Amino acid sequence: MSVASITSGVTSTSTAHNIREFDNNNKEILKRLLKLPENENCADCGALEPQWASVNLGIFLCIVCAGIHRHLGVDVTRVKSVNLDSWKDSEVETVKATNNIKANEYWESYLPDNFQRPNYTDSIGLKEQWIKCKYADKAFVPIDVNDPKIKRLNFNERQGWVYKKGLVVKSWKKRWLKFVGDDHLYYFKNPSDKNSCGSISLKDLGQIDSVSEVDGKSFCFIVSTPKRRYLISCENGADMFVWINNIRVASALLYAKK
Ligand SMILES: [Zn+2]
C-alpha cells in the first residue's frame, strides 16, 4: 500500500469520525430542544412528543404532519427526522432560533375569532388542508405582511354552492348552502329561492370532518346529526376547510349555550 493511500485512508476515517461527532452533537442539541415546553406538541396538530421537523420553518412535527409537509414541496417546507436523518449545522441553528409557539405566533397570527384549530384526532384530509392553508397559502400570517403569494380565507362568507347527498340517497344534488343564524344550515335549489329544499340542525352534532373522495366527488365532508348523516362536496379544499370550521364554530357555540 502506498503512503498516499494510507494517508488518504487515515484522512477519510478521521473525516467520517468528525462527521459522526458533529452529528452526535447536533442530535444532543435537538434532543434538548425537544424537551423545551414550547416544543412538546406538534406545531400543527398538537400531538405530544414530535420527533420530526421542518428544517427551514424551524418547527417540530409529529410523523403524520411531517408526511403532509413532505407533499407541500421543498420550496415551502423541508422535512427531516430528528432521529433518522443527519442535520446540517445551519438547520439546527434554524430550529434553535425559533420554537413551535413562536413560529405559530407568526403562522397563525390571523386566525378568525372562535377558530376551531384542527388537532391530531381529525382526519388526514382536514389536517392536509390546514397545513396547506397555513404554510403554502400563508392564509393566517400577520395582516401587515405584504406577500403576493398570500391567499386569505373568507370565513365570513357563510353561504355557497356545494353538492349534497345523504348516505342513503345515491345521487349528488347541487345546492346553495346557507347558514341561517348559528343553529341551522338551509339548502336551496337557487340562491334567490324563498323556500328551501331542507335544513340541517346544528344542535347536538356528532362528527364534522372531511372524508376522502366519494362517488367521484372530492373535497367532501360529513355532518352527523342525531338523526341523519349528510355528505357535502365543495369546489375546492379551501372551501371545504372554511365550511368545516364554520359548522364546528356554530356547533360549539350552541353547545356552550346549553
Ligand atoms: Zn401533527
Side-chain angles (χ1 to χ4, degrees), residues 33-170:
L33 290 175
L34 277 174
K35 283 188 184 141
L36 296 175
E38 297 90 323
N39 294 326
E40 69 184 9
N41 298 92
C42 168
D44 293 333
C45 77
L48 275 171
E49 297 180 6
Q51 296 293 315
W52 292 72
S54 166
V55 294
N56 60 315
L57 299 174
I59 51 172
F60 290 104
L61 301 164
C62 73
I63 189 167
V64 176
C65 293
I68 297 171
H69 272 250
R70 214 180 270 286
H71 286 108
L72 287 186
V74 289
D75 53 328
V76 177
T77 170
R78 289 197 308 279
V79 171
K80 278 195 175 177
S81 161
V82 170
N83 299 308
L84 307 173
D85 294 317
S86 71
W87 287 52
K88 289 183 197 154
D89 262 7
S90 59
E91 294 167 341
V92 176
E93 285 307 314
T94 306
V95 287
K96 215 166 146 188
T98 182
N99 62 58
N100 285 4
I101 304 267
K102 217 200 270 183
N104 279 343
E105 279 169 13
Y106 175 79
W107 291 105
E108 300 182 14
S109 160
Y110 193 63
L111 291 178
D113 290 344
N114 300 321
F115 182 75
Q116 299 285 305
R117 200 173 182 276
N119 70 36
Y120 57 91
T121 64
D122 287 316
S123 66
I124 288 269
L126 185 65
K127 280 185 274 204
E128 275 172 356
Q129 206 51 53
W130 161 232
I131 290 168
K132 180 182 177 293
C133 290
K134 189 171 162 181
Y135 302 107
D137 298 345
K138 305 181 176 188
F140 315 112
V141 298
I143 189 90
D144 55 354
V145 172
N146 197 4
D147 181 339
K149 284 187 183 159
I150 292 176
K151 284 190 209 153
R152 301 282 185 197
L153 297 171
N154 187 357
F155 290 93
N156 296 321
E157 180 73 16
R158 288 153 56 89
Q159 54 188 333
W161 286 114
V162 297
Y163 285 88
K164 175 200 147 288
K165 76 181 194 110
L167 286 187
V168 184
V169 179
K170 289 282 175 243

